[in-house]
Amino acid sequence: MLDALVVAPHPDDAELGVGGTIVRLMQQGWKVGILDLTSGEPTPLGSPEKRAEETAAATRELGDPWRRNLGLPNRSLEPTLAHRRAVAAVFRAVRPRLIFAPYWEDAHPDHVAATRLVEEARFWSKLSKSDIPGTPFHPARILYYFSVHLRIVERPSFVLDISDQLDAKVRALSCYRSQLVDNQPAGRPGVIDSVCDRTRFWGHLAGTLHAEPFASREPIGLTGLGDLLL
């Protein structure tokens, strides 16, 4: 049973958008998992074997959360009924109270498809009369993280302080050498530099050093205001 499940279109998306939060939640005693929908391959410098090795190394840097790859087709990910059923079956198996999904606006078709799959599988997971394996289950909430391919300024519902978890996030990202290190232009800031700039920006607005932003389509309920960063 998981408290939270991060659904990622490709290996490295979870680390890019919610890596610090994964580490923080696990340090707070949460049971966290990552479901990669595709292998992320082919890519110019990668291979299925290399990507799997990089993912395993990054997972260790995050604190070794539960992680699985659903094996859906990269570059051709679609919110089909078969894919929806497969994701819903995972929801029933690990029963997360909270799901992290990619932000719904993106230039990458796989990311947009992943968001639809999560939302539709969340609904299907609760159906009582179906052939989906497992016992019906409805995750209580979806939060959306930002690992986008559009040059937009995020409009989050809230940000989470990851100042103490940033180093672990960067170490995890650095494991994806074929995607985020070896393919970066010389003499210019790379993807990891950009990610740190963004976490620093959101941390500054929240009154801390680094933070990750999240959006919600639904209202967020609070039991108190004691944890607000002012």
Side-chain angles (χ1 to χ4, degrees):
M1 303 295 178
L2 297 178
D3 296 305
L5 177 66
V6 181
V7 181
H10 318 99
D12 75 16
D13 282 317
E15 289 84 355
L16 286 165
V18 69
T21 297
I22 292 171
V23 176
R24 178 172 183 136
L25 291 178
M26 292 182 64
Q27 290 173 345
Q28 294 174 336
W30 285 49
K31 296 179 181 178
V32 182
I34 303 171
L35 177 66
D36 298 312
L37 296 180
T38 77
S39 70
E41 292 299 323
T43 59
L45 301 182
S47 68
E49 296 77 16
K50 180 180 293 186
R51 198 65 170 269
E53 292 173 0
E54 293 174 342
T55 302
T59 304
R60 289 192 293 270
E61 294 293 349
L62 294 177
D64 205 24
W66 179 95
R67 192 164 198 165
R68 297 290 185 275
N69 193 301
L70 204 53
L72 301 182
N74 182 50
R75 298 183 180 176
S76 301
L77 187 64
E78 295 181 353
T80 64
L81 297 183
H83 293 173
R84 185 193 305 174
R85 182 182 185 276
V87 176
V90 175
F91 291 171
R92 289 187 174 194
V94 300
R95 308 180 79 78
R97 296 185 292 118
L98 172 63
I99 295 174
F100 291 97
Y103 186 64
W104 54 83
E105 182 182 1
D106 203 336
H108 197 317
D110 281 359
H111 285 230
V112 177
T115 304
R116 279 195 58 190
L117 271 175
V118 170
E119 294 174 338
E120 293 170 356
R122 179 196 184 201
F123 186 88
W124 261 28
S125 179
K126 70 178 182 180
L127 299 179
S128 59
K129 295 182 178 180
S130 74
D131 63 352
I132 302 171
T135 304
F137 174 76
H138 188 245
R141 178 174 294 278
I142 300 177
L143 296 176
Y144 300 86
Y145 63 89
F146 295 88
S147 177
V148 299
H149 295 70
L150 289 174
R151 294 179 180 177
I152 61 174
V153 177
E154 300 97 328
R155 298 181 63 86
S157 303
F158 68 94
V159 302
L160 185 66
D161 180 12
I162 62 158
S163 302
D164 294 336
Q165 293 77 33
L166 180 69
D167 288 346
K169 176 185 176 83
V170 171
R171 289 196 304 270
L173 290 172
S174 299
C175 292
Y176 292 99
R177 293 195 60 88
S178 67
Q179 309 302 311
L180 307 176
V181 179
D182 294 339
N183 63 350
Q184 298 304 292
R188 295 172 54 189
V191 171
I192 297 177
D193 298 311
S194 176
V195 168
C196 292
D197 287 342
R198 289 153 73 96
T199 61
R200 187 178 296 110
F201 169 76
W202 289 113
H204 169 71
L205 294 186
T208 190
L209 293 178
H210 291 271
E212 288 176 335
F214 297 94
S216 178
R217 293 188 192 266
E218 300 171 311
I220 297 172
L222 300 175
T223 58
L225 301 179
D227 290 333
L228 288 179
L229 297 174
L230 303 176

